[in-house]
Amino acid sequence: MVRHTLQYPKQAHNTVNRYKHQAVYNLTTIHTIINTTPVLHVSFTPDHADPFPAILPMIGQMGSFSRPSASLGDPLDCYLHGYVSSRIMNLARGSPDSQGLAVCIAASKVDGLVLTLTPNSHNYNYRSSVLFGYATLVEDLDEKLWAMELITNSVVPGRWSETRVPPNKGEMASTQILRVRIDSGSAKVREGVPNDEKGDLEDEDVLGRVWTGVLPLYEQFGEPVPGPYNRVQEVPEHVLRYKEALNKGNSDYAIAAAKKDAPVKKKEPGEED
C-alpha cells in the first residue's frame, strides 16, 4: 500500500519567502526537528495593549493521545509542560478565543559552521521548524498523565518507568500541560558544502589565501556524573544506551551534512534570472 507524505498547506503565516529552495512542509521533517530539540521557544501575545510579544523556553513533544501509535508523519498535537500558574497557562485558561491561545512554537538546530571566501556568504548548516496553533489546558487526568510520560521520555527514552511514579498529588497539582492543536507549520533545512559567487571562485588570489569548509557542530552528552545522594552504583542501561545513540546520531548527521552538495536555488515561476 502506498503511503503518501503529508504536508502542511502553505498559508500566509507559514510560507517561507527567503531561500524557498530550503523550505520543507512535510510533517515528518517538521515534527522530528521539534521532537529532537531539547528546548522549544513558544511565543504569544500576553496583552493586546502591550506592544511586546512574549517568548518562553519550554519543553514539549509532538504526540496524539487519541492515536498513541501515530507516527511523526501524521497530524499531531504539541504538548507543552509548565507550572500551573505561569503566565502562559493563565492566558490559555482565560482565553476569549474558543480555539484557545494563539501560539507560535520554534525549534532550531545548528549542524555546522559554513566558512566561505567572503563574510557575506558565510552560513550555517541548520534545521529549523516553526509551528502555529492554538493552546488549551489538558483537563483530563488520563491525558495529562500520558503527556507527562511522553515529555519525560523525551528527556531520556524509558526514563518515566525508571523513576518514582505516578506523580503525587502535589506534583500533579503544580504541573500544567498545554495541548497545542497545530494549524500550520514549516521548516528550513540547510545542508552542504560552502558556495560562493562566480567572481570570487575565479579569483586565484582569494582562493589561495582563504580557507573554506564546514566545521561540523553537534550536541554531545558527556560522561554521567552521579548525584550527591545517588546510591545506585551502575549507570542504568537506558541512560548509557541513549547517550551513545544520540552522540553517534548527531555526529554522523553533522559530518554527512558537511559533505553534501550545496543547496541550489530553484527558479520560482515568474521569477527573472
Side-chain angles (χ1 to χ4, degrees), residues 90-119:
N90 288 334
L91 287 170
R93 186 177 292 110
S95 175
D97 191 330
S98 60
Q99 296 187 88
L101 177 68
V103 299
C104 177
I105 303 168
S108 300
K109 303 177 79 67
V110 178
D111 300 304
L113 311 181
V114 183
L115 310 179
T116 57
L117 294 172
T118 72

Side-chain angles (χ1 to χ4, degrees), residues 61-270:
Q61 281 285 286
M62 305 300 299
S64 174
F65 176 65
S66 61
R67 297 176 294 108
S69 62
S71 74
L72 288 174
D74 292 326
L76 301 171
D77 298 318
C78 185
Y79 288 88
L80 300 171
H81 177 284
Y83 187 65
V84 65
S85 60
S86 64
R87 178 163 59 165
I88 191 172
M89 300 302 178
N90 288 334
L91 287 170
R93 186 177 292 110
S95 175
D97 191 330
S98 60
Q99 296 187 88
L101 177 68
V103 299
C104 177
I105 303 168
S108 300
K109 303 177 79 67
V110 178
D111 300 304
L113 311 181
V114 183
L115 310 179
T116 57
L117 294 172
T118 72
N120 193 58
S121 56
H122 276 58
N123 211 328
Y124 285 160
N125 280 340
Y126 67 91
R127 292 165 282 163
S128 64
S129 284
V130 177
L131 295 172
F132 302 87
Y134 295 93
T136 56
L137 302 182
V138 173
E139 305 285 8
D140 179 77
L141 179 59
D142 288 338
E143 184 176 5
K144 183 176 180 179
L145 279 168
W146 175 86
M148 291 170 71
E149 181 175 355
L150 175 75
I151 293 169
T152 300
N153 286 340
S154 76
V155 178
V156 174
R159 187 61 183 170
W160 178 270
S161 62
E162 297 287 338
T163 63
R164 189 266 294 153
V165 287
N168 61 38
K169 289 183 178 181
E171 292 166 340
M172 292 297 292
S174 64
T175 300
Q176 185 64 65
I177 300 294
L178 279 180
R179 182 201 317 107
V180 182
R181 179 183 58 80
I182 306 303
D183 180 76
S184 64
S186 58
K188 285 180 74 175
V189 177
R190 203 272 184 197
E191 300 173 322
V193 298
N195 54 349
D196 277 285
E197 297 295 330
K198 181 179 178 182
D200 289 309
L201 292 172
E202 294 175 347
D203 188 323
E204 291 298 325
D205 175 64
V206 172
L207 289 172
R209 64 183 177 84
V210 179
W211 187 90
T212 60
V214 177
L215 187 61
L217 177 63
Y218 43 88
E219 296 170 330
Q220 294 280 277
F221 287 126
E223 291 303 313
V225 179
Y229 51 82
N230 174 68
R231 296 183 182 180
V232 180
Q233 294 302 310
E234 299 294 330
V235 178
E237 181 61 29
H238 72 283
V239 174
L240 293 176
R241 185 167 56 246
Y242 182 53
K243 167 184 173 289
E244 293 170 3
L246 183 134
N247 285 357
K248 184 178 187 304
N250 284 352
S251 62
D252 286 354
Y253 179 91
I255 293 169
K259 299 176 181 179
K260 291 186 177 182
D261 292 338
V264 178
K265 183 178 180 181
K266 298 177 182 177
K267 186 177 179 182
E268 297 292 324

Side-chain angles (χ1 to χ4, degrees), residues 30-41:
I30 296 169
H31 294 170
T32 298
I33 294 171
I34 294 289
N35 274 15
T36 57
T37 301
V39 177
L40 306 176
H41 287 91

Side-chain angles (χ1 to χ4, degrees), residues 8 15 22 56 102 131 144 173 175 262:
Y8 283 112
T15 298
Q22 294 172 202
L56 296 177
L131 295 172
K144 183 176 180 179
T175 300

